[in-house]
Amino acid sequence: MIQMTPKPFTGYHMAAILIGFFGIVIAVNIYMAKQAIGSFGGTVVDNSYVASQQYNGWLEQADREAKLGWTATVTKSGDGRISVMVSDHGVPGKDFVVSAKAEHPLGRAPARNLQFQPDEIGRYVSLASVPDGRWLLQVKISRDGNHYKMIADVQ
């Protein structure tokens, strides 16, 4: 019977294992950093201190909007046009002025300002369409000096 003696574990073996391990870790970190930088379009707020100082004002504005009794439903049609159905205490609303700013959630496409006109069934339909994909809409609805703002996510 032939006996085989194992080769000794040397410093070269250990160096190869360490270089291989840390090479994989560094490669994965570089890949993840590139993915994170390429997919995040910006900041949520530019200055968190200023945003915190405006917080109570935002709450008061939301309370005023809730007292109006207005609600809105936003949809995107197959041709890319945006529809906003506004109701005033549950009844389809009339004589509203509707506008919106459409922003790509990752900032990959330029923002678009949309104007709306009413149709025959009480919806407000955008004059222009937005490209395919997901869009965040900052909708502003006004009537008689009152304003209602909302953010809608459409695809």
Side-chain angles (χ1 to χ4, degrees), residues 6-20:
K7 292 184 179 182
F9 187 77
T10 64
Y12 292 115
H13 293 111
M14 190 65 204
I17 290 170
L18 286 174
I19 290 170

Side-chain angles (χ1 to χ4, degrees), residues 17 23 35 53 125 128 143:
I17 290 170
Q35 292 292 26
Q53 298 304 305
V125 181
R143 183 175 71 183

Side-chain angles (χ1 to χ4, degrees), residues 55-112:
Y55 183 73
N56 287 336
W58 294 338
L59 290 177
E60 290 169 5
Q61 179 183 353
D63 193 39
R64 282 192 306 272
E65 290 176 357
K67 289 178 182 176
L68 291 173
W70 299 353
T71 57
T73 305
V74 180
T75 57
K76 183 179 170 191
S77 63
D79 65 355
R81 291 174 36 162
I82 305 297
S83 297
V84 180
M85 184 62 133
V86 183
S87 64
D88 184 355
H89 292 91
V91 177
K94 295 183 180 182
D95 302 323
F96 287 103
V97 176
V98 178
S99 63
K101 181 178 181 182
E103 296 177 319
H104 194 268
L106 298 179
R108 293 187 178 168
R112 302 162 188 271

